[in-house]
Amino acid sequence: MTGFAEAAVRGRMSEVRSALAGLDEPARRALGDELVAVVRRRRDDWWWRGEAATLAVAAVGTLSTPTKVAALLGRRSVWLAGVDAAPVVDTARERGVTWLADVAHKLADRLPRDRMVAGWPFVAGLLLAEKAPPPTGDDFVRGWATAQGSPGPRGNRPPTVDRLRADPFLDPLLPRLFEVDGVGAELARGDGTGTEALPRALAALAAEGRLDRAVLLNGVLGRLLRGDRPGALRPFLILHDLLAPTPDEVAVRSSAYLRLLADGPGPVARTAQRTLRDAGDAAEPEALWEAARTVLARPEKALVRAQVRRRRCVLCPTQ
């Protein structure tokens, strides 16, 4: 084993970076072949933090393609949690490679869910350094959602709304936030200031025009119609109530609300019922009649009583 390979195995970052300085491409490829062979021989050993960070620098500094780098860093034995992307970016700049974004996308496709969430800051760091668009796969979106509630260094982070406003991933990933099953469970973790932090931030950004209210409302209703575990739906119900749909917004979405009233789980049906009630004449009378008949057959007594008491309920016109 050469000194370079031993330094990589031992996590000696400064030695690895010194060894890479000034190498030509044939010399880099020779070290890269040795590096891959060493990692394969150590298949039962784990690469953590310092070792994983050094391995990432060594891989980008010696291997010839993003596919090879992603294959090495995506191995079961390599754990990218807590690995800083900055030294890897510096190594790529020194070498003149331009495919870091490809490495990030390939890792996002390769890593299983738990490791994608854990390694998300590293993958995102590569993308941000390259100013590249993010992957939109389920696991990358889950990692992004989880990162919204992760504590910052020494616990000091800007408010959620300020971070989201400046987040380059917000626009491309926002629609997927409503489509990925279970992602609401990550949003429900909050950011240390409460479980409503992200819904409140999204509603605030809609109020200031940074986000489109229609996108948020349609996304929320789509998520509620598809369903999920109760805990995963709660942040979307909170966001819906914070948006406080206007009668006109309810009117163009009345069919969705009526479906939720008829078929949604209890908390979702109650939200739909309250929204239709507050919107007054937003829904067509014929549709409300059908919804009323459906609600009266539901097992939730509170939901039925609320429907019967509605002033505009066609089943009780004298109230």
Side-chain angles (χ1 to χ4, degrees):
M1 185 186 300
T2 64
F4 174 81
E6 183 176 359
V9 168
R10 302 297 182 187
R12 298 170 183 163
M13 178 72 79
S14 61
E15 292 183 30
V16 166
R17 297 195 67 175
S18 295
L20 291 172
L23 290 181
D24 59 19
E25 285 303 310
R28 290 178 184 274
R29 285 196 293 271
L31 290 178
D33 291 342
E34 181 189 22
L35 181 68
V36 171
V38 168
V39 173
R40 287 175 176 171
R41 285 199 301 270
R42 296 181 76 231
R43 63 182 179 274
D44 294 328
D45 295 328
W46 289 85
W47 301 72
W48 298 96
R49 292 190 177 271
E51 289 183 355
T54 304
L55 178 64
V57 166
V60 169
T62 61
L63 299 179
S64 57
T65 68
T67 300
K68 291 180 179 180
V69 173
L72 193 68
L73 299 184
R75 293 177 65 87
R76 180 184 62 85
S77 58
V78 179
W79 194 263
L80 295 171
V83 173
D84 185 4
V88 177
V89 173
D90 290 342
T91 299
R93 299 286 188 266
E94 292 164 4
R95 186 183 180 188
V97 302
T98 59
W99 34 251
L100 278 186
D102 289 339
V103 172
H105 278 264
K106 291 179 184 300
L107 282 173
D109 290 338
R110 183 184 183 94
L111 294 176
R113 177 183 299 184
D114 59 338
R115 290 172 58 208
M116 179 66 259
V117 171
W120 187 88
F122 174 78
V123 175
L126 299 182
L127 294 166
L128 291 171
E130 296 295 282
K131 296 181 172 57
T136 56
D138 288 4
D139 291 336
F140 189 84
V141 175
R142 288 191 185 94
W144 179 63
T146 302
Q148 305 311 314
S150 300
R154 295 176 295 278
N156 55 343
R157 299 184 83 192
T160 300
V161 65
D162 294 336
R163 286 188 288 107
L164 279 181
R165 186 185 294 111
D167 190 337
F169 295 159
L170 176 60
D171 292 311
L173 295 187
L174 181 64
R176 296 285 290 132
L177 198 64
F178 303 104
E179 297 169 355
V180 177
D181 292 340
V183 76
E186 303 301 334
L187 303 181
R189 299 179 192 276
D191 67 349
T193 63
T195 58
E196 298 183 6
L198 191 71
R200 288 190 179 281
L202 293 174
L205 292 177
E208 67 184 46
R210 170 64 179 81
L211 294 178
D212 189 334
R213 280 180 59 87
V215 170
L216 293 180
L217 279 173
N218 292 339
V220 166
L221 291 177
R223 178 71 269 170
L224 297 179
L225 286 168
R226 283 188 293 274
D228 211 332
R229 298 187 303 277
L233 289 180
R234 184 172 181 273
F236 298 108
L237 289 172
I238 293 173
L239 175 57
H240 175 275
D241 289 348
L242 290 171
L243 290 171
T246 67
D248 287 343
E249 289 172 328
V250 173
V252 298
R253 297 170 177 83
S254 60
S255 61
Y257 284 108
L258 293 171
R259 284 177 58 194
L260 294 175
L261 179 58
D263 302 324
V268 174
R270 285 194 293 274
T271 293
Q273 185 182 58
R274 183 180 66 251
T275 303
L276 288 169
R277 179 194 63 212
D278 293 346
D281 296 324
E284 296 180 1
E286 295 81 1
L288 288 175
W289 169 271
E290 191 60 36
R293 293 177 57 189
T294 302
V295 169
L296 293 179
R298 291 183 64 118
E300 300 95 337
K301 292 182 180 179
L303 201 64
V304 173
R305 286 196 296 269
Q307 189 69 33
V308 170
R309 285 198 301 267
R310 288 189 57 193
R311 291 184 177 182
R312 294 183 180 274
C313 177
V314 292
L315 297 180
C316 43
T318 60
Q319 294 188 18

